[in-house]
Structure formats: structure tokens, C-alpha cells
Amino acid sequence: MKISEIFYSIQGEGRLAGVPSLFIRTAGCPVNCPWCDTDYAKSFDAGEEMSVAQILRRADARDGSNVVITGGEPLIQEDLADLCYGLRAISPHITLETSGILPAGDLAVDLMSISPKLSNAQNDEEKNFEHFYPEIISGLIEEYSSQIKFVVSDLQDVLEAGRAVKEISAVGRADLMLMPMASTFEEYQLKAPEVAQYCLGFGYTFCPRLQLVLFGGGKGA
Ligand code: SF4
């Protein structure tokens, strides 16, 4: 598997925000969000090759911890099912973070954390390229306990998220969250109050980015 980093930190986002967790960050992502907060992990040249056994040996040092498998896009990794199966023996809770562009198959995962890509995920080179696949996201929600985090910057994004929600047939079974678009503490401070107001107005749950508040973001945070 291509691994960017393995580290122990506080889960900053979603329904488990605040829980100490072991993070396994895979490298490589076919989406190319201009606001990606893990730029160093999205290239297919990033990270180092590690076997499942090597990763599990590292994870074993945090036996009993929650695990978060994130990226990059973890679902492109061939040995993901074996990794989840191995982690099951040492972790009470496994979260998988995905952009929802690929089906997951049968994984030993407790929470599917889906961050669907709105048009704000398109970069200048691929203006009309779609990264939003409602049928795939519905399939994930039907198979796994799920949360959906929309990364939003303004009202237009929130309205687009609302239209996207209507296309995800199984959406009623997932937690729906809005997360401020920010990759630094300063950006988060500016954007979070505005997004909180959108949550109040539209009934979404506010998704924090505690890693920016506590550690300023970046590698190992
Ligand atoms: S999907 Fe996630 S990892 Fe991939 S480019 Fe976008 S924010 Fe970065």
C-alpha cells in the first residue's frame, strides 16, 4: 500500500471529533481539489510502499485505539480489505475517510465518513469534470454507518449541497454535516462562524476542524 504517514492525534472532524485516534494516511487521490488540506498526500508519487504487515506492526503500538484510515483516497488501495481486517483485531473502532467516488466492497469498517465533492472541488484544468456520484454514495450509506461532510465556503456551496442531498437516495440514514473550507487556523477562524450560521439556517450539523485549532493542520495533525 502507498502510505503517506501514520500518526497518533485527536480526531478533528465528524461525530468522533475529540477522540484520540491512530491515523493511517494513504497516498494518492484521483480527485484534485484546489483547496486540498493534505496536498502532500494526493500525488500518486507521494508516500512510501508498505505491506499490510508493516502497517499493522506500526498500528500495534497503539493497540486499543480508534483508527482513522484517511488519504489521499484510501479506496484506491488494493490491500485495503486486508488492512481493515487486520486492524479489527487491535482497534475497537475504524473510520474510513473517502470522497465517495468509488464503491467500497466489504470492509471491516465501523464508520464510513464521506466527503462528497461539489463543484468547488474542480480545479482550473478540469472545470467541467464531475466528482459527485450519488449512486455510489448511496451504496456506501446502505452498507455502512455513515456521515456526510460537505466542505463549503459560501451560500452557493450550501445550496449545491442541498441539491446533492436530494440525489442521494439513502441519505436519510447518514449524518449530514457542513464543514468550513479551510486549511489553516486563520482561514478556519474566518470561515467557521459563517458556516455555523448556514447550519442554523438549513438544519445541518456543524463539522469542526479541531486539528486546525489544536495543531494548525499540516502533516501529523
Ligand atoms: S478528495 Fe480529499 S485527498 Fe483528494 S484532492 Fe480532494 S481533499 Fe485532497
Side-chain angles (χ1 to χ4, degrees):
M1 299 183 73
K2 285 297 284 300
I3 299 297
S4 167
E5 54 181 343
I6 299 174
F7 59 98
Y8 189 60
S9 188
I10 301 285
Q11 170 60 290
E13 303 173 2
R15 66 166 85 145
L16 292 172
V19 179
S21 305
L22 179 75
F23 288 78
I24 300 171
R25 186 182 306 287
T26 63
C29 177
V31 187
N32 189 16
C33 307
W35 42 261
C36 179
D37 60 350
T38 54
D39 244 7
Y40 56 88
K42 72 180 181 186
S43 160
F44 288 99
D45 296 327
E48 62 173 305
E49 199 65 48
M50 289 180 76
S51 68
V52 169
Q54 286 173 314
I55 300 167
L56 291 176
R57 272 199 294 279
R58 290 275 302 275
D60 202 37
R62 294 290 178 183
D63 190 1
S65 301
N66 280 14
V67 170
V68 181
I69 304 173
T70 186
E73 171 52 71
L75 288 176
I76 66 172
Q77 302 291 331
E78 262 183 29
D79 294 335
L80 185 62
D82 290 344
L83 177 64
C84 294
Y85 181 77
L87 288 169
R88 181 83 296 165
I90 58 174
S91 175
H93 191 282
I94 302 170
T95 299
L96 185 91
E97 302 262 1
T98 177
S99 54
I101 59 168
L102 292 166
D106 187 15
L107 300 175
V109 159
D110 301 290
L111 173 61
M112 192 62 70
S113 182
I114 308 163
S115 189
K117 297 308 166 213
L118 303 173
S119 54
N120 65 27
Q122 295 164 352
N123 61 44
D124 288 341
E125 294 88 61
E126 46 174 43
K127 260 299 170 213
N128 297 312
F129 193 75
E130 281 282 328
H131 296 296
F132 175 60
Y133 303 102
E135 300 81 15
I136 291 176
I137 295 170
S138 275
L140 294 173
I141 295 171
E142 277 164 13
E143 291 297 319
Y144 298 93
S145 176
S146 301
Q147 62 187 17
I148 295 185
K149 303 178 295 182
F150 288 103
V151 175
V152 297
S153 178
D154 54 24
L155 180 59
Q156 191 179 316
D157 289 348
V158 179
L159 296 176
E160 188 182 340
R163 292 192 293 276
V165 161
K166 291 199 177 87
E167 290 186 54
I168 303 170
S169 55
V171 79
R173 292 164 56 176
D175 296 344
L176 285 178
M177 305 177 181
L178 298 184
M179 187 161 75
M181 185 186 291
S183 53
T184 65
F185 176 58
E186 291 72 23
E187 288 173 3
Y188 183 74
Q189 266 187 315
L190 282 175
K191 193 53 68 179
E194 181 184 340
V195 173
Q197 290 303 319
Y198 295 139
C199 288
L200 287 167
F202 291 89
Y204 292 97
T205 296
F206 179 83
C207 180
R209 299 188 101 148
L210 279 182
Q211 68 275 31
L212 298 179
V213 178
L214 298 174
F215 310 116
K219 268 193 148 185

